[in-house]
Amino acid sequence: EAQVTQNPRYLITVTGKKLTVTCSQNMNHEYMSWYRQDPGLGLRQIYYSMNVEVTDKGDVPEGYKVSRKEKRNFPLILESPSPNQTSLYFCASWGGLAGTSYEQYFGPGTRLTVT
Amino acid sequence: GQNIDQPTEMTATEGAIVQINCTYQTSGFNGLFWYQQHAGEAPTFLSYNVLDGLEEKGRFSSFLSRSKGYSYLLLKELQMKDSASYLCAVRDRAGGYQKVTFGTGTKLQVIP
């Protein structure tokens, strides 16, 4: 089954304690992206990746890091989480630039609370 | 940059038709998407328009006018399960990367 998986689904942590949210896709997609979703603000892009070892900042990258060492995996790292990073996070992947590869597939989401 | 506007909330009756509008401003338009998102769940793809006109897919249709920077999603024969948020998203090819920017979504409530 084609899917994007994220772990953990729920996480409560404290300020300053480093954490990683994993994302994996099994569709051999070139593009992957992380979004955060907050009430009234919609989905905002944090980072994206166009292929292995190619990543770039989205609209709200401060406080986050990513890596793309393998095509299928795109972890999101919070080195020193703060309460303003409390949010619902989605990972997404899609095929590429042309044809029918425009549809984004989203993971189930990770609800993060930083106290 | 991009600016995407859609109504925050709408209410419609089961069995009826509802139209959700989206206006956008972008420098390098290269496609418009509609996604459905139920509360607490991931967005799921509904439609994609890159040329002017109407795309029909079952009970859902999406329309695009590039010259007006305008799109709408039309939902027919509304069902209770259609209660969800509907996200308009625009793809922009400016800068070489085909960035997709999402609007804040329209929360649709279907009532009996």
Side-chain angles (χ1 to χ4, degrees):
Chain A
E1 179 191 356
Q3 61 180 353
V4 179
T5 56
Q6 290 179 231
N7 282 291
R9 294 290 313 279
Y10 302 90
L11 180 60
I12 301 174
T13 190
V14 296
T15 299
K17 185 176 181 181
K18 181 180 178 180
L19 67 91
T20 299
V21 184
T22 63
C23 174
S24 183
Q25 51 96 0
N26 63 1
M27 295 166 279
N28 202 34
H29 283 164
E30 294 173 5
Y31 288 82
M32 298 185 75
S33 179
W34 276 102
Y35 297 91
R36 60 178 289 173
Q37 188 172 38
D38 303 288
L41 297 178
L43 278 166
R44 294 181 293 166
Q45 190 176 55
I46 302 170
Y47 269 93
Y48 63 91
S49 170
M50 289 182 277
N51 215 322
V52 175
E53 302 292 3
V54 182
T55 64
D56 206 348
K57 298 176 181 178
D59 298 316
V60 288
E62 295 77 20
Y64 304 94
K65 286 175 57 177
V66 292
S67 67
R68 187 96 180 270
K69 293 183 170 55
E70 304 165 287
K71 198 170 187 179
R72 63 184 294 124
N73 295 325
F74 190 45
L76 179 70
I77 303 156
L78 285 72
E79 294 271 4
S80 183
S82 62
N84 65 11
Q85 292 178 298
T86 293
S87 187
L88 179 59
Y89 291 86
F90 289 103
C91 179
S93 74
W94 66 103
L97 301 178
T100 60
S101 58
Y102 45 74
E103 174 186 347
Q104 291 196 32
Y105 292 79
F106 285 83
T110 296
R111 188 166 291 281
L112 172 66
T113 302
V114 184
T115 61
Chain B
Q2 296 184 24
N3 188 31
I4 301 172
D5 288 312
Q6 49 181 133
T8 304
E9 295 181 344
M10 299 183 70
T11 301
T13 305
E14 189 177 15
I17 299 172
V18 70
Q19 178 174 311
I20 303 174
N21 296 324
C22 172
T23 59
Y24 64 89
Q25 293 175 311
T26 184
S27 53
F29 177 82
N30 195 26
L32 186 142
F33 304 81
W34 285 96
Y35 283 82
Q36 180 190 59
Q37 186 179 25
H38 286 98
E41 297 182 9
T44 55
F45 172 80
L46 288 177
S47 69
Y48 172 70
N49 295 69
V50 66
L51 300 176
D52 291 348
L54 188 69
E55 294 280 343
E56 298 187 80
K57 192 185 292 186
R59 293 190 299 115
F60 293 10
S61 303
S62 57
F63 171 83
L64 175 67
S65 169
R66 289 172 296 171
S67 63
K68 295 182 179 178
Y70 168 69
S71 173
Y72 67 73
L73 180 69
L74 194 71
L75 291 74
K76 304 175 186 175
E77 303 170 12
L78 279 173
Q79 301 176 9
M80 299 300 291
K81 67 178 182 179
D82 297 330
S83 292
S85 288
Y86 291 86
L87 313 179
C88 173
V90 174
R91 187 164 71 175
D92 189 323
R93 59 172 167 264
Y97 163 64
Q98 305 237 357
K99 179 179 173 60
V100 175
T101 300
F102 286 82
T104 55
T106 299
K107 187 175 181 180
L108 173 67
Q109 182 182 16
V110 179
I111 57 177

